[in-house]
Amino acid sequence: MNTKSIQELEDLIISYVYEMSWGQKWDGKPIPADVFKSYLSQVEKLSNLFTVDREQMGIRYFRKKENRIAYLLYFHLSNMVRASAIIEEMKKRKAWPKKIERVMDLGTGSGASLWALAQGISSPKQLPSLMYALDEDRSILNDGKKLWHQYCKMREITSPNLVSQKVDVLSLKGLEALEIQEKLDLIFCSNLVNEFSLISDSGKISLFKYLVDQLLSDDGALMIMEPASLDISRDLLHLREMLLDCLDIHISLPCSGTQSCPMISDAKDWCHFEIPWDIPRVKKRLEKELNRNSEVLKYSYIVIQKGQKKSKRRSKYRSLSPMLKNRDGGYFVLLCSDYDKLSLRSKKGDKESKQKLKNIQRGDVISLQNCHEDKLDDPKLGKQVWVGQDSKIVIHP
Ligand SMILES: C[S@@+](CC[C@H](N)C(=O)[O-])C[C@H]1O[C@@H](n2cnc3c(N)ncnc32)[C@H](O)[C@@H]1O
């Protein structure tokens, strides 16, 4: 990633937030204790609103300046890093459109996904020529727009044509009114769908059908990123199923195919991914006070592309966990393919096989050679595949 370091980006945000909250220029020195205390309380409140106090959230939380400040300080960069991780995966796994000319970010907020896109480019020529940043909240759109221009200035890049527009994306009329003439190569939908909790399934399907059929180019990709939690990640799995049923699409990541997810049937199953990062200074200080630690950022996601791919019988698996210890003293890694979920296991005391499992990280794409499928399923771990001396685990870069 051709990055401005995370710390430089945090400094940019602090300067912005300082002006926004105190009408003063930040002198670059550590934030004074009283100012920090007020930020901390705002972050704590917003954080709770997104989690434990979710029922009180309401849709217009960004109308309050305090919530926008808290989002910028605490969530913007971590969401940028999550979106960057997915972008890198899309590039690696051939799910990246051949050209990126026109991009849309739905529920853009402060524009974390657009920053992620820009972080991933090595030359300004790789930026799209047109970007739509859409949100139903005018205030966060304004912040996002101003910050985007400051970001471009810092990186010495010329901003693409940025259409920053107040739109309720659930009203298709709002999207139609944009009168988009040329189709979009990339559509981001980050941390938005979980805010549609009051919207019916058919409402969600209508939105994504419109996006795919009317707005997405043939080679384009639609990325849906969501927080990682059992409920939200399973909601994303359900959305995946519905969209596969109703739209002419395939899922290109994190698992390829047009098949139903093998985890859908068990209410305890879910999948998520992780990315380590260097937590910038102020975020670290906030986390310390809040007794949290985000050294590894978690997220769930799917990438949708047009057309149904012919499905091949499984040859590759996605790991859903790092190596874990089993009750019987052996070790296992959870895997899934288009058709199966299974546990890849080593026997107690088999150090060589344990080492093979240890090399696997959550999210790796792997193939198996000479591993032996058990006839019996384990009640907890499901279908079991054993690693032995002659087994080979190929981790695809
Ligand atoms: C949690 S923020 C995510 C912001 C950004 N995408 C990110 O990942 O950091 C969700 C955003 O979606 C916006 N939003 C929620 N419902 C919306 C709707 N129906 N139409 C447009 N924007 C919406 C909110 O205003 C908010 O800015």
Side-chain angles (χ1 to χ4, degrees), residues 203-251:
K204 290 178 201 163
I205 293 170
S206 302
L207 168 65
F208 287 104
K209 188 165 173 46
Y210 181 80
L211 294 172
V212 170
D213 292 352
Q214 306 298 325
L215 298 188
L216 195 63
S217 68
D218 287 346
D219 177 51
L222 164 60
M223 183 254 260
I224 307 178
M225 176 173 95
E226 287 284 278
S229 73
L230 172 71
D231 289 349
I232 294 180
S233 305
R234 277 197 70 78
D235 286 348
L236 182 59
L237 277 188
H238 283 290
L239 180 68
R240 177 190 187 280
E241 299 292 300
M242 288 192 304
L243 297 182
L244 279 174
D245 275 349
C246 304
L247 274 59
D248 183 20
I249 53 163
H250 63 277
I251 306 293

Side-chain angles (χ1 to χ4, degrees), residues 112-312:
S113 299
L114 298 176
W115 284 37
L117 180 68
Q119 284 291 94
I121 59 158
S122 49
S123 121
K125 281 193 199 129
Q126 294 168 346
L127 271 180
S129 53
L130 178 59
M131 299 194 320
Y132 293 92
L134 309 182
D135 203 287
E136 65 179 1
D137 188 288
R138 204 183 294 284
S139 311
I140 195 73
L141 275 173
N142 282 336
D143 291 326
K145 189 174 173 182
K146 284 187 205 152
L147 259 170
W148 169 257
H149 288 297
Q150 292 185 12
Y151 171 86
C152 289
K153 195 169 164 205
M154 178 188 197
R155 283 209 51 195
E156 298 173 349
I157 49 182
T158 311
S159 170
N161 182 7
L162 175 68
V163 178
S164 169
Q165 186 89 22
K166 179 176 173 339
V167 174
D168 173 358
V169 300
L170 287 167
S171 134
L172 296 185
K173 281 196 186 124
L175 289 173
E176 278 164 5
L178 293 170
E179 294 186 354
I180 292 173
Q181 305 294 338
E182 291 186 88
K183 296 220 167 172
L184 306 166
D185 306 303
L186 192 57
I187 302 179
F188 291 115
C189 185
S190 309
N191 302 304
L192 174 66
V193 176
N194 67 87
E195 298 202 357
F196 295 163
S197 54
L198 299 177
I199 307 304
S200 64
D201 287 348
S202 61
K204 290 178 201 163
I205 293 170
S206 302
L207 168 65
F208 287 104
K209 188 165 173 46
Y210 181 80
L211 294 172
V212 170
D213 292 352
Q214 306 298 325
L215 298 188
L216 195 63
S217 68
D218 287 346
D219 177 51
L222 164 60
M223 183 254 260
I224 307 178
M225 176 173 95
E226 287 284 278
S229 73
L230 172 71
D231 289 349
I232 294 180
S233 305
R234 277 197 70 78
D235 286 348
L236 182 59
L237 277 188
H238 283 290
L239 180 68
R240 177 190 187 280
E241 299 292 300
M242 288 192 304
L243 297 182
L244 279 174
D245 275 349
C246 304
L247 274 59
D248 183 20
I249 53 163
H250 63 277
I251 306 293
S252 40
L253 283 172
C255 37
S256 62
T258 50
Q259 309 298 320
S260 187
C261 171
M263 294 203 283
I264 201 85
S265 55
D266 187 338
K268 292 195 291 304
D269 270 347
W270 60 296
C271 81
H272 70 278
F273 298 87
E274 296 176 344
I275 177 86
W277 72 314
D278 295 326
I279 310 174
R281 270 191 297 276
V282 170
K283 167 113 178 166
K284 205 171 202 163
R285 210 170 139 195
L286 288 164
E287 289 201 332
K288 195 167 165 222
E289 293 297 325
L290 294 168
N291 209 7
R292 296 200 189 134
N293 183 352
S294 72
E295 266 166 21
V296 173
L297 296 171
K298 297 181 196 296
Y299 54 95
S300 330
Y301 77 105
I302 53 174
V303 176
I304 293 172
Q305 292 190 285
K306 275 188 169 187
Q308 296 193 11
K309 245 188 182 171
K310 284 207 181 82
S311 60
K312 283 191 235 139

